[in-house]
Amino acid sequence: RTKTVLTNAIGQAIAQYKNLKIGAIRFHSTVKGSLNADVEIILSGKGSLEEVAQNLYAAMHELDEQELDLIVIEKAPETGIGKAINDRLQRSATVI
């Protein structure tokens, strides 16, 4: 239900919508420090795309229940299962 943006530049996307209540989903913790999102979920500490695939929809549902204005999701690397993950996310993302 919550509007969703899929991006390669998660920090920039969050800064663009800073006046909204934002949830962020990151694939791994490569960015140091806070993204200034209200809620942040990291899907895989190791960057494992298999772990990302297992945790993604639960994370989306968790953020959807938190009455956020927007969910910003970092794109997966375009390799292996990452292509399929991005394809699914792109189909469900809201264009803002």
Side-chain angles (χ1 to χ4, degrees):
R1 296 177 308 236
T2 306
K3 291 182 181 188
T4 304
V5 172
L6 182 62
T7 182
N8 285 320
I10 194 164
Q12 291 175 349
I14 290 170
Q16 180 180 351
Y17 299 107
K18 64 184 174 192
N19 59 333
L20 300 177
K21 188 174 178 185
I22 297 175
I25 296 177
R26 293 171 46 194
F27 286 95
H28 51 86
S29 56
T30 57
V31 177
K32 301 289 184 210
S34 172
L35 289 173
N36 295 321
D38 295 283
V39 181
E40 183 179 335
I41 295 175
I42 298 172
L43 298 175
S44 174
K46 301 175 277 181
S48 163
L49 290 177
E50 289 75 18
E51 187 176 8
V52 165
Q54 290 174 350
N55 296 329
L56 180 60
Y57 286 108
M60 291 175 72
H61 286 290
E62 179 180 335
L63 292 182
D64 193 40
E65 293 173 0
Q66 295 192 31
E67 298 183 18
L68 299 166
D69 298 316
L70 183 67
I71 298 171
V72 178
I73 305 175
E74 179 181 38
K75 283 186 178 180
E78 285 287 335
T79 59
I81 194 172
K83 290 180 182 180
I85 292 168
N86 288 337
D87 180 62
R88 286 285 181 114
L89 287 171
Q90 191 63 49
R91 291 173 192 258
S92 66
T94 307
V95 177
I96 295 179

